[in-house]
């Protein structure tokens, strides 16, 4: 094993190691940016940061009615995933002053 005393450490000792590591990273990074894997990563990242809009969903059937609104079965158009969506009119929230309950529920879920 190589033993180095505290006074023997010099910045120049790391230059060769730094250059070798840099060469390896550059040799992998360029081709990776051009690969199908990176393109797929970018697609997934962009998709995951997208906000959902009403046009992304298709209502299927009502599941139930509550005190403030109704619950619908909806399907997401691009993935065909089935969800339950609660529909609460703003007028009902204003009338009953229960907007805070809706916000709490959204944070909980």
């Amino acid at each position: 094993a190589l033993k180095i005393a505290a006074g023997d450490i010099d910045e120049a000792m790391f230059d060769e190691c730094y250059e070798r590591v840099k060469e390896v990273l550059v040799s992998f990074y360029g081709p990776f940016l051009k690969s199908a894997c990176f393109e797929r990563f970018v697609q997934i990242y962009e998709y995951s940061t997208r906000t959902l809009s009403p046009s992304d969903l298709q209502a299927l059937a009502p599941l139930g009615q509550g005190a403030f609104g109704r619950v619908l079965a909806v399907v997401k158009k691009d993935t065909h995933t089935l969800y339950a969506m609660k529909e609460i009119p703003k007028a009902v929230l204003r009338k009953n002053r229960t907007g805070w309950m809706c916000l709490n529920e959204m944070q909980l879920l």
Side-chain angles (χ1 to χ4, degrees):
L2 178 64
K3 292 185 180 184
I4 300 174
D8 295 340
I9 297 176
D10 183 19
E11 286 184 29
M13 294 175 70
F14 298 99
D15 289 344
E16 182 182 349
C17 180
Y18 172 80
E19 289 302 321
R20 285 186 180 180
V21 169
K22 185 177 170 184
E23 286 173 15
V24 169
L25 289 176
V26 167
S27 70
F28 285 107
Y29 189 68
F32 173 69
L33 291 179
K34 297 174 186 172
S35 72
C37 292
F38 181 69
E39 285 184 34
R40 184 73 176 140
F41 167 77
V42 170
Q43 289 172 351
I44 291 171
Y45 179 77
E46 288 175 352
Y47 184 80
S48 68
T49 57
R50 226 180 97 218
T51 57
L52 201 61
S53 71
S55 64
D56 294 328
L57 303 171
Q58 178 182 357
L60 298 177
L63 297 175
Q65 181 76 29
F68 300 114
R70 62 184 183 160
V71 179
L72 302 170
V74 297
V75 66
K76 194 159 182 272
K77 292 177 183 176
D78 58 353
T79 62
H80 304 290
T81 307
L82 189 63
Y83 294 99
M85 179 178 74
K86 189 177 280 190
E87 186 179 70
I88 304 173
K90 287 183 182 180
V92 172
L93 295 176
R94 287 189 195 109
K95 178 183 169 189
N96 298 327
R97 295 186 180 181
T98 53
W100 62 273
M101 290 172 64
C102 184
L103 291 174
N104 282 345
E105 187 172 333
M106 285 172 48
Q107 290 174 348
L108 181 68
L109 299 175

